Amino acid sequence: MLLVETRNGKIIQIRLKYLLCVSLYYCVIKTIENTPMKTIIEPFKIKSVEPINFTTAAQRESLLQEAFYNPFFLHSKDVLIDFLTDSGTTAMSSKQWAGVMDGDEAYAGSKSYFLFENAVRDITGMKHIIPTHQGRAAEKILFSIVGGKGKYVPNNTHFDTTRANVEYSGAEAVDILCEVGKHPEQIADFKGNMDVDALVAFIEKVGKENIPLIMLTVTNNSGGGQPVSMANIRAVRNVCNAYGIPLFIDACRFAENAYFIKQREPEFAYTPIDEIVREMFGYADGCTMSAKKDGMVNTGGWIAMNNDDWAGKARNLLIITEGFTTYGGLARRDLEAIAQGLKEVLDENYLHYRIRSTQYFGEKLTNAGVPILMPTGGHAVYLDASRFASHIPTEQFPGQSIVCELYRHAGIRSVEIGSLMFGKYDEHGKHVAPPMELVRLAIPRRVYTQSHIDYCIEAIIEVYNSREQLRGMKLLYESEYLRHFTAHLSYV
Ligand code: F0G
């Protein structure tokens, strides 16, 4: 027995046994914390493989020409490492494939739907769960109901399909990202945060009655896969409460966002991921989701919300455009795969590997001097094209020039997120550049191993070291909406 005096002068007795246990506990914890970082291994074994096809540089040169220098037109068999997107490119687990076999293909009331509904409700806590065939279908339905001329939809940063669906409804999509999120070279923990003061000023300017909802995209894909903090979600919720405006989450990468919260917001350091996820959704009145990302599947999505009136309208639109309310344009087996995927994505071993391997990719590039958007986001590494190809003006698409060269040099497919994707024309037809010129290398979930990533690191460094040879590009053809998907380009 030990007698100890506390700070307010009280004498307390502590049994030596307890003292020993507590000391031992702290020794173990500290030893674990101080253990040097070990190699992060893929937390899975590979059961089924898919060959990839090697091409020569000469073949790739002519394939690029045939594709109008737009890798969206390349055939995937001609791509060695495909970083075009992390969407729908996930390798499903054996349990998900088992679910696919077990799908109940009933048109109405399928058991697979109820499995899906329970899984989504379990994490979102929302009342109405409406399946869609992918994220943009959820967006189309939502903004058909709440959008329209004279309306404004603020978001930290709209993804391109979200923006297109808002604008297609006649409403205006407004990005209100925090200042640090607009600077690729600046390092901060939560560069996906909404600028809350600017949000309030915006609401005051246009009037709360003209804002049907406020959106938060987690993680912020167009801004570099950067997370949104729980503090920011709470602050935006407070603004929503003050003005009576609903909050919706664009939830594509909710689990990756939750992992960043756990790592970077001390309050959550010891909170299990599923609890963080529930708290995030708990502040929202609804969400749209592309399950092709953190749903860990090849297709699927949903729209979820608490508002009965909107949900009724959404279900009617769903039946007209997607399918009956218990399948929403999906095969029922897809719903099984989503239900299982939502469990797997919350596994901390998986999330640790996922985020850490993206960081590994980014660190190796940074160490070699390659300019990337800092810090690395969750699902992708973004090359900073303005610094990578600083000799190419924005109207000559520096990012697209890098995209083409990565394919030509090493068979890597990436995507430009800059002037080609988001550039506009002013009233004189002059090019207006977006805030950042980026090239995204989005990493499919559970698909590539570390040696694939090492190969890409080598190739990118080589392209960077001969960057003065990169040439500017010009548009030969562009469509009215989402021009990057179908644009034709050539060199200037
Ligand atoms: N919202 C975000 C933040 C997204 O990243 C995407 C898709 C969508 C909505 C639309 O979902 O594709 O299922 O219709 N992003 C993909 C990408 C296409 O490559 O980043 P979808």
Side-chain angles (χ1 to χ4, degrees):
M1 192 76 74
L2 209 70
L3 295 180
V4 178
E5 187 179 349
T6 64
R7 257 186 282 171
N8 54 13
K10 258 173 84 182
I11 303 288
I12 55 165
Q13 299 177 343
I14 301 177
R15 276 176 193 273
L16 270 181
K17 190 164 76 175
Y18 293 141
L19 202 65
L20 219 70
C21 285
V22 171
S23 326
L24 198 70
Y25 173 78
Y26 275 104
C27 277
V28 171
I29 292 288
K30 284 292 153 204
T31 315
I32 292 172
E33 278 177 2
N34 293 334
T35 307
M37 179 67 81
K38 298 237 174 65
T39 303
I40 304 297
I41 60 165
E42 287 81 8
F44 47 80
K45 295 187 285 183
I46 298 168
K47 188 172 258 179
S48 177
V49 295
E50 184 184 348
I52 47 178
N53 192 23
F54 290 81
T55 48
T56 64
Q59 285 168 332
R60 292 194 293 273
E61 177 61 58
S62 62
L63 289 164
L64 257 184
Q65 274 178 31
E66 285 163 26
F68 308 105
Y69 296 97
N70 183 349
F72 278 103
F73 287 116
L74 289 171
H75 293 205
S76 69
K77 72 169 177 47
D78 299 323
V79 175
L80 188 64
I81 306 283
D82 206 345
F83 287 150
L84 187 69
T85 179
D86 64 320
S87 177
T89 49
T90 304
M92 291 213 295
S93 69
S94 48
K95 281 200 177 154
Q96 285 178 294
W97 284 111
V100 166
M101 286 307 293
D102 202 32
D104 162 14
E105 297 302 335
Y107 190 98
S110 154
K111 70 114 178 152
S112 308
Y113 168 74
F114 294 111
L115 204 67
F116 159 85
E117 187 191 38
N118 281 340
V120 177
R121 186 165 297 128
D122 183 43
I123 57 168
T124 63
M126 286 170 197
K127 189 169 171 195
H128 302 283
I129 315 286
I130 302 167
T132 58
H133 82 272
Q134 63 181 89
R136 67 199 69 183
E139 293 163 357
K140 173 79 170 71
I141 289 172
L142 179 64
F143 294 113
S144 303
I145 297 166
V146 306
K149 218 173 152 36
K151 298 269 164 54
Y152 299 86
V153 179
N155 199 329
N156 46 353
T157 312
H158 288 84
F159 180 65
D160 57 1
T161 61
T162 326
R163 169 174 290 281
N165 274 305
V166 170
E167 289 175 353
Y168 191 71
S169 81
E172 206 173 302
V174 188
D175 293 341
I176 308 186
L177 184 63
C178 63
E179 189 52 37
V180 70
K182 298 175 195 159
H183 302 278
E185 71 292 351
Q186 287 183 19
I187 298 182
D189 283 344
F190 291 103
K191 290 175 80 174
N193 281 354
M194 178 88 92
D195 181 337
V196 179
D197 292 338
L199 174 68
V200 171
F202 182 76
I203 300 170
E204 291 290 337
K205 190 174 105 190
V206 303
K208 62 179 181 187
E209 61 287 357
N210 297 317
I211 302 180
L213 56 86
I214 291 169
M215 252 192 152
L216 273 177
T217 303
V218 302
T219 56
N220 183 20
N221 183 9
S222 309
Q226 300 293 320
V228 177
S229 69
M230 193 72 88
N232 191 251
I233 300 176
R234 287 175 184 154
V236 173
R237 174 75 251 174
N238 286 341
V239 173
C240 289
N241 286 347
Y243 289 95
I245 302 171
L247 173 63
F248 270 60
I249 292 183
D250 177 340
C252 296
R253 298 175 181 86
F254 70 92
E256 292 173 7
N257 198 85
Y259 189 76
F260 280 118
I261 288 178
K262 183 170 175 113
Q263 278 195 318
R264 297 180 183 175
E265 259 179 304
E267 181 189 341
F268 295 95
Y270 300 102
T271 313
I273 286 290
D274 58 339
E275 280 180 32
I276 298 176
V277 164
R278 285 192 194 98
E279 181 168 343
M280 282 165 55
F281 282 114
Y283 295 119
D285 301 286
C287 65
T288 53
M289 172 73 181
S290 168
K292 299 169 76 174
K293 286 83 171 173
D294 274 353
M296 307 286 267
V297 292
N298 305 121
T299 196
W302 71 75
I303 174 167
M305 62 182 94
N306 293 325
N307 183 312
D308 296 335
D309 176 38
W310 286 3
K313 289 180 179 149
R315 287 202 172 96
N316 284 336
L317 274 176
L318 188 85
I319 293 172
I320 299 169
T321 58
E322 290 275 291
F324 188 61
T325 55
T326 58
Y327 73 87
L330 292 163
R332 274 55 71 196
R333 52 181 170 267
D334 297 324
L335 297 170
E336 293 264 346
I338 297 173
Q340 176 61 25
L342 290 177
K343 284 191 199 141
E344 293 174 13
V345 80
L346 297 179
D347 172 8
E348 276 186 45
N349 286 330
Y350 160 74
L351 283 170
H352 181 55
Y353 139 81
R354 169 80 176 153
I355 303 297
R356 182 62 204 134
S357 55
T358 309
Q359 282 167 348
Y360 168 87
F361 193 171
E363 274 163 21
K364 293 273 168 168
L365 292 178
T366 318
N367 292 346
V370 179
I372 65 165
L373 191 149
M374 296 289 282
T376 46
H379 67 296
V381 168
Y382 294 68
L383 305 177
D384 181 355
S386 327
R387 286 186 289 151
F388 195 119
S390 53
H391 58 292
I392 303 179
T394 58
E395 63 271 25
Q396 291 181 14
F397 310 112
Q400 190 68 6
S401 181
I402 298 169
V403 165
C404 289
E405 193 51 34
L406 289 179
Y407 177 70
R408 186 185 285 112
H409 185 66
I412 300 169
R413 179 154 66 171
S414 53
V415 68
E416 192 259 17
I417 302 193
S419 280
L420 180 60
M421 190 181 274
F422 290 126
K424 292 223 156 116
Y425 296 105
D426 68 11
E427 62 275 25
H428 310 294
K430 231 177 131 251
H431 168 76
V432 182
M436 292 192 265
E437 299 289 338
L438 304 171
V439 169
R440 187 184 74 170
L441 302 138
I443 307 166
R445 292 168 181 76
R446 305 189 291 207
V447 170
Y448 293 117
T449 62
Q450 185 172 335
S451 55
H452 290 117
I453 301 291
D454 284 334
Y455 166 86
C456 295
I457 292 164
E458 273 167 33
I460 295 166
I461 294 171
E462 280 164 14
V463 170
Y464 181 67
N465 288 342
S466 53
R467 60 194 175 278
E468 66 288 345
Q469 284 165 27
L470 292 167
R471 283 181 294 147
M473 309 195 80
K474 62 179 182 211
L475 274 165
L476 300 180
Y477 161 78
E478 62 181 301
S479 61
E480 196 183 339
Y481 290 103
L482 302 174
R483 67 179 181 184
H484 56 287
F485 285 125
T486 53
H488 295 183
L489 297 105
S490 73
Y491 287 99
V492 286

